[in-house]
Amino acid sequence: MRDIRIPGIRRALRASSRRAVDREVDEEIRFHIEARTEELMRLGLSEREASERARAEYGDVAASRRELTRIDQRRAGLERREEMLMTFLDDLSYAARSLSRRPALLIVTTLTLSIGIAANAIMFGVVDQLLLRPPAHVAGPDLVKRIYYRDVEAGQARFGSSTVYPVLTALRASTSSFSDLAAYSDASPFSLGTGRDAQSASVQLVSGNWFRLLGVRPSLGRFFIPDDDVVPHGQPVAILGYGFWQQQFAGDTGALGRSIQLQGKTFTIVGVAPRAFAGIDRRRVDVWLPVSAMADEALGPGWHNTDNHWWAQIIGRLRPAATPEAAAAEATLTYRGFVRKWNDRWRDSTSSIILSSIVATRTPEGITRESRVSLWLMGVSVIVLLIACANVANLLIARTLERRREIAVRMALGIGRGRLVRMLFAEAGLLAFLGSLAALGIWLGASRVVQDVLLPNVAWSESLLDLRVFGFTLGVAVLAMLLAGVAPALQGMSTRVSEGLKASARQVAGGRGRLRFALVLAQAALSVVLLVGAGLTVRSLNRVVSREVGIDRDRVLRVTMPLSSFGFERPQIEEIYRRGMERVRQIPGVTNVAVARLTVPMGSASASSFSVPGVPDQDIPGGGPYNSAVTSGFFRAIGAPLVAGRDFTPDEERTTSRVLIVNEMVARAYWPDASPIGRCAKFGSDTLCSVVVGVVRNVLQFSLIRDDRAIVYAPPSHPGVGDALPRGMLVRVAGDPKTIIPLVRAELQALSPSMPFVTVRPYSELVAAQLQPWRLAATMFALFGVIALVIAAVGLYSVMAYWVSQRRHEIGVRMALGAQRADVVRLVALQSSRAVVAGLILGGVVALVASRWLTDLLYETSARDPVVYGGAALVLGLAAIVASVVPARRSTAVDPAQAIRAE
């Protein structure tokens, strides 16, 4: 009698492996065929006939086998995933319960991981916006290219981005690789309104097709159309930046059609740019104007057809079929033909055009200094993460050692090693998850501070947290889980059942201790690297900040008034400056006021002829000499000391006087071996001799470092000055400049109802942008260095505290045999010092090797400064001592009798 078969019973007992699935499918098919065969045999068919008919009725066995195999494998996979999920949830639940019983461990590890993850998320956000992300709202950014011009001078390649407007006209007419080409200027401060209510607005001039080329859509109204930018005189229309629209018009849609006054000229508002759009240079822009509507006033007559106005920066959109290389080659031929035809000086030009990314920080010369600093800090944040993960791994290893009996019992009961690894990783995963949540909170609170305080000139996107940052944070959290969990998991897998079941507290193998001390060594070494980096960048920043530039930057204000642009005539301008000086002198806290013509520090610059009879013309680095006409007391006002001779007198200021003061660079160039005082020199358009009456310290002109310029000073009455108008007022204050600036501006704004916005800025603010790379590097290196130091100290403390707890029996025996408390303290100190000293040596070597890449960020500071390396070693050593004090004191409190009985 045949076995009774219940249909589907084997399908209910599915196996998970592929071979088992195949076997089950074959048995099921056989079962169906055999069952049908028996049914047909009961109907009177022979066994052979019944079998053949059953197979025929069943159909394509191979196709059925494939379909059933696919169904079973899918169900088996689903079951495996469900089982793994349930196991994972069980492990997480167990890890949560277990960690909740150790709140101190939970808090320390979560906080440590959150700091490491947040540091990476913050720096990724900076790098992403500076280097990776194209400007907001630009359509097809990969097709939009910036045009740079490459020249070779003295064997060195030089790149520039500014050119004259006729180059744009030539490229438009003679190139086919671009679907469109547009020009724009750097954003500049314009006076918004006049009189007491005047304000400053950041304005950018663009060609009429600029927005169309970028593919940006307006938030309100329209963008420029071709009729708005008819060269040479376009329509007086304006497009507002979104933030400016919100600030000035409270987001009122009725702003369209209203007028604003810029530089004394009225413009009609026709559109509003979208939120977070700040052009393509990531600099705040309040208003965009057609270049032809303002170029005569801002650039001067002839801006569109001469080679005298170098302002135009050109972008182009490639046609879909064009390659950047082919477009650059075509543009280069056009450019060379243009310049050779345009100007005899360029007839042998070998200049070429280079196409570069629309991202402003990525240029043909490489990335900008701020971006290089950001990349460095991205690497530093990775080091912080490694230190944090090493710290957490150390704590979890200690926890795994405490649980070795539990692990041994589980293994004795048959738990697989894979399940054991998942169970041990669950704690690391839970900690990484909690750390990433805390990191996002830290990121939201700290990232804007980093962006706005350390890089205030960058226009950041409105969104603080997006999918890119969230995805990166998630990836870092997974990496942290792996880094922090792999060592404890390996430690748990290495547990032997027999040893674990009978292990006592003092039976921690030396190899396990070596792993923990190796992690401490790694933390110490990485901390040394960060401390050295912090020391070098802070030292470099101090050198830059304290550099003598001839101006007391914290006490001197520069005042500029664009009077000529607003139609003021010479007598009016002279009168405004005269009255302005009188009013400003009366302000409490103002100690000196002076006026400069031609050349103003960190402002305008003018060069003219300067010669010394009997001395050949000198080729001075940086060009020049530059010339400046200043009132008496100018050098006292800015804080530039005279190193020889005297200052101008009030009489020399008012009456025609042929006297000069030269700076040290001019003195060295023309009188290298003699004093220039009393010597003859010819200045400007004057053909008669002028007498040098003084030598002054070199004064900052353009750049804070490596940019000393030769400057010759004359009184305003000197015949060589010509009809130069005042360019700026210099005000020296005794109090806080922030409180005096509004008073100075208010006094000057009141001088005329038509007065443009008066710009008053301290020199500390004027040079702040140049200090940003050093300040960013120093601040973040120091911050990350302190974080790393604290984490490393906590790690060392945890190791030593655990070591003391595990050696209580040994310490008790030693003390019972006569060891003194000092001997026990030395034992603990020796144990901690081994890892720290080894870490100091290894970290010092790594820092020496890595320091060569930091050279570009340093100023007058050696990347191998022994003071910095010694200081880093001292700081880490002191932190190690502090971290070892509590465990060392705890070790001396061990009662020998209790310790021995406890074992």
Side-chain angles (χ1 to χ4, degrees):
M1 182 178 180
R2 296 182 181 273
D3 296 335
I4 298 175
R5 302 174 186 268
I6 301 175
I9 188 65
R10 287 177 172 80
R11 296 291 304 279
L13 303 174
R14 293 175 299 273
S16 60
S17 69
R18 173 150 193 164
R19 184 176 298 176
V21 169
D22 291 341
R23 185 170 59 252
E24 291 288 336
V25 168
D26 289 340
E27 290 181 3
E28 177 146 358
I29 292 174
R30 186 168 60 252
F31 163 76
H32 283 291
I33 293 176
E34 289 177 355
R36 181 57 177 162
T37 299
E38 290 180 358
E39 184 180 350
L40 291 173
M41 288 174 63
R42 286 195 296 270
L43 294 176
L45 273 67
S46 66
E47 183 176 354
R48 179 180 178 183
E49 291 174 338
S51 176
E52 291 177 352
R53 184 172 175 180
R55 290 181 179 278
E57 288 179 355
Y58 189 86
D60 190 342
V61 174
S64 178
R65 179 182 291 110
R66 288 194 298 270
E67 180 64 19
L68 291 174
T69 299
R70 184 184 64 80
I71 293 173
D72 276 12
Q73 287 178 346
R74 185 172 60 187
R75 288 181 177 176
L78 180 61
E79 288 179 353
R80 286 196 301 273
R81 289 191 290 273
E82 290 178 351
E83 182 180 357
M84 291 178 63
L85 178 60
M86 294 304 297
T87 301
F88 175 71
L89 292 177
D90 288 342
D91 291 340
L92 279 182
S93 177
Y94 176 77
R97 293 194 304 273
S98 178
L99 288 172
S100 66
R101 292 192 289 270
R102 302 288 298 274
L105 175 68
L106 177 63
I107 293 172
V108 170
T109 51
T110 300
L111 182 60
T112 301
L113 285 179
S114 67
I115 291 173
I117 295 171
N120 281 267
I122 290 172
M123 294 316 305
F124 173 77
V126 172
V127 171
D128 180 41
Q129 295 208 33
L130 283 183
L131 280 174
L132 305 179
R133 187 176 304 203
H137 299 287
V138 175
D142 291 339
L143 293 176
V144 180
K145 301 295 180 182
R146 294 173 183 264
I147 292 182
Y148 289 86
Y149 310 91
R150 179 181 183 273
D151 292 290
V152 177
E153 183 176 324
Q156 296 291 324
R158 296 179 179 271
F159 294 89
S161 59
S162 296
T163 188
V164 294
Y165 189 83
V167 170
L168 174 65
T169 305
L171 291 176
R172 281 175 172 173
S174 305
T175 57
S176 59
S177 298
F178 297 97
S179 61
D180 209 352
L181 289 153
Y184 69 99
S185 69
D186 288 327
S188 302
F190 277 30
S191 178
L192 175 67
T194 57
R196 295 180 182 273
D197 297 328
Q199 304 176 50
S200 179
S202 177
V203 177
Q204 189 169 47
L205 307 181
V206 299
S207 55
N209 62 330
W210 190 73
F211 287 99
R212 184 187 66 201
L213 185 152
L214 295 176
V216 181
R217 297 181 178 274
S219 175
L220 183 69
R222 66 170 177 86
F223 283 150
F224 299 137
I225 58 177
D227 289 344
D228 293 332
D229 187 37
V230 178
V231 177
H233 301 295
Q235 298 299 314
V237 293
I239 293 171
L240 306 184
Y242 190 91
F244 184 80
W245 174 53
Q246 293 289 329
Q247 178 184 355
Q248 296 291 328
F249 298 93
D252 181 12
T253 57
L256 294 182
R258 294 170 63 178
S259 299
I260 57 174
Q261 192 179 57
L262 294 165
Q263 297 295 93
K265 189 173 181 179
T266 301
F267 293 84
T268 301
I269 301 169
V270 297
V272 176
R275 181 193 296 268
F277 179 72
I280 61 175
D281 289 333
R282 292 197 180 278
R283 295 291 186 266
R284 180 181 64 87
V285 179
D286 295 323
V287 183
W288 284 274
L289 302 177
V291 62
S292 57
M294 197 66 179
D296 279 352
E297 294 82 357
L299 304 174
W303 61 271
H304 62 290
N305 58 10
T306 70
D307 66 336
N308 294 326
H309 303 288
W310 290 69
W311 62 272
Q313 301 188 62
I314 300 177
I315 56 174
R317 179 176 287 275
L318 295 175
R319 296 187 186 278
T323 64
E325 294 76 16
E330 183 184 30
T332 295
L333 290 176
T334 299
Y335 181 65
R336 288 180 179 175
F338 165 78
V339 298
R340 289 170 182 170
K341 179 180 178 181
W342 186 262
N343 195 314
D344 289 339
R345 293 176 297 165
W346 298 345
R347 191 161 299 280
D348 297 325
S349 171
T350 58
S351 299
S352 57
I353 280 181
I354 308 293
L355 301 186
S356 187
S357 168
I358 191 177
V359 179
T361 54
R362 288 151 54 182
T363 70
E365 295 177 282
I367 60 177
T368 60
R369 183 181 292 271
E370 288 88 348
S371 300
R372 288 202 303 273
V373 173
S374 300
L375 285 178
W376 257 100
L377 294 176
M378 187 77 213
V380 169
S381 66
V382 172
I383 294 177
V384 172
L385 178 66
L386 293 177
I387 295 173
C389 291
N391 183 285
V392 173
N394 235 334
L395 295 173
L396 293 182
I397 287 175
R399 178 165 171 74
T400 302
L401 291 174
E402 291 177 353
R403 300 167 61 189
R404 60 192 180 281
R405 284 181 183 272
E406 173 198 337
I407 293 172
V409 170
R410 288 178 179 272
M411 295 176 70
L413 293 176
I415 187 175
R417 291 190 179 273
R419 176 65 190 279
L420 178 62
V421 170
R422 291 198 299 271
M423 184 187 73
L424 295 174
F425 258 110
E427 287 193 355
L430 181 60
L431 292 173
F433 173 73
L434 295 175
S436 62
L437 291 181
L440 288 176
I442 296 173
W443 191 93
L444 288 171
S447 62
R448 186 62 81 185
V449 174
V450 173
Q451 294 173 354
D452 292 347
V453 174
L454 297 179
L455 292 169
N457 294 326
V458 177
W460 303 100
S461 63
E462 294 287 336
S463 175
L464 285 176
L465 184 61
D466 57 15
L467 289 178
R468 292 161 68 103
V469 175
F470 183 81
F472 179 84
T473 304
L474 181 62
V476 173
V478 173
L479 177 62
M481 179 192 70
L482 295 175
L483 292 175
V486 65
L490 293 175
Q491 185 76 67
M493 288 180 61
S494 67
T495 301
R496 295 183 179 180
V497 176
S498 59
E499 293 180 358
L501 291 175
K502 63 183 180 181
S504 67
R506 67 176 184 269
Q507 289 176 312
V508 180
R512 296 171 182 174
R514 285 193 294 270
L515 175 59
R516 302 196 67 210
F517 276 93
L519 291 172
V520 172
L521 184 152
Q523 292 183 70
L526 293 173
S527 298
V528 169
V529 173
L530 293 189
L531 291 173
V532 168
L536 291 175
T537 52
V538 169
R539 196 173 178 87
S540 182
L541 175 63
N542 289 336
R543 293 277 175 84
V544 175
V545 171
S546 61
R547 183 177 185 270
E548 178 57 54
V549 294
I551 297 179
D552 189 350
R553 287 171 281 171
D554 295 326
R555 292 289 178 265
V556 180
L557 311 178
R558 190 198 69 183
V559 180
T560 54
M561 300 176 281
L563 301 174
S564 298
S565 301
F566 278 70
F568 285 84
E569 300 295 336
R570 169 179 288 279
Q572 295 174 295
I573 295 174
E574 296 285 0
E575 179 63 15
I576 284 176
Y577 268 92
R578 186 190 63 78
R579 291 168 52 208
M581 290 180 67
E582 293 176 356
R583 287 197 176 197
V584 171
R585 282 196 181 101
Q586 304 305 314
I587 297 175
V590 173
T591 58
N592 292 95
V593 182
V595 170
R597 302 166 190 251
L598 300 172
T599 295
V600 179
M602 293 293 290
S604 60
S606 174
S608 65
S609 61
F610 177 82
S611 62
V612 176
V615 178
D617 290 340
Q618 301 296 305
D619 185 12
I620 302 177
Y626 293 89
N627 59 346
S628 184
V630 299
T631 57
S632 59
F634 171 84
F635 302 110
R636 290 194 304 275
I638 66 174
L642 288 165
V643 297
R646 64 173 177 83
D647 197 353
F648 300 131
T649 65
D651 289 338
E652 290 170 339
E653 175 187 344
R654 291 189 291 268
T655 60
T656 301
S657 303
R658 288 184 169 85
V659 292
L660 302 173
I661 294 176
V662 299
N663 71 351
E664 291 175 305
M665 197 169 185
V666 174
R668 285 194 300 267
Y670 287 90
W671 298 280
D673 301 317
S675 171
I677 303 300
R679 300 300 181 95
C680 167
K682 294 184 178 181
F683 175 76
S685 58
D686 192 19
T687 58
L688 301 178
C689 269
S690 296
V691 178
V692 178
V693 297
V695 179
V696 70
R697 184 74 52 83
N698 291 339
V699 174
L700 166 71
Q701 181 55 44
F702 299 114
S703 178
L704 192 61
I705 63 170
R706 303 184 184 97
D707 195 38
D708 287 334
R709 302 294 176 123
I711 304 178
V712 178
Y713 301 91
S717 61
H718 195 288
V721 172
D723 57 355
L725 290 170
R727 290 288 187 90
M729 185 183 297
L730 291 305
V731 180
R732 185 177 184 83
V733 300
D736 183 3
K738 293 181 180 179
T739 62
I740 297 177
I741 287 174
L743 302 178
V744 173
R745 179 179 292 122
E747 289 293 338
L748 296 176
Q749 292 284 176
L751 290 173
S752 170
S754 302
M755 196 73 175
F757 180 77
V758 177
T759 302
V760 185
R761 298 179 67 187
Y763 273 92
S764 58
E765 180 183 311
L766 291 171
V767 301
Q770 299 179 28
L771 289 172
Q772 278 179 11
W774 286 282
R775 182 167 286 123
L776 174 64
T779 303
M780 298 307 294
F781 257 108
L783 176 61
F784 288 157
V786 170
I787 291 173
L789 184 65
V790 172
I791 293 175
V794 171
L796 179 61
Y797 168 81
S798 67
V799 168
M800 296 314 303
Y802 184 78
W803 185 86
V804 169
S805 68
Q806 296 300 307
R807 299 300 176 98
R808 288 177 62 86
H809 177 80
E810 175 189 340
I811 293 172
V813 171
R814 287 176 180 270
M815 296 183 71
L817 293 176
Q820 301 299 312
R821 292 179 181 272
D823 298 325
V824 176
V825 171
R826 278 196 297 271
L827 175 65
V828 176
L830 178 63
Q831 189 72 11
S832 64
S833 64
R834 289 188 303 167
V836 174
V837 171
L840 285 173
I841 296 173
L842 178 60
V845 172
V846 173
L848 282 173
V849 174
S851 62
R852 59 179 179 173
W853 288 294
L854 197 62
T855 304
D856 289 345
L857 304 179
L858 304 180
Y859 175 73
E860 293 184 354
T861 302
S862 170
R864 300 185 175 186
D865 191 331
V867 174
V868 171
Y869 283 80
L874 178 62
V875 169
L876 184 60
L878 291 175
I881 292 174
V882 172
S884 302
V885 165
V886 175
R889 293 185 61 186
R890 185 179 298 170
S891 68
T892 62
V894 172
D895 185 344
Q898 290 183 358
I900 294 173
R901 282 198 302 269
E903 291 294 327

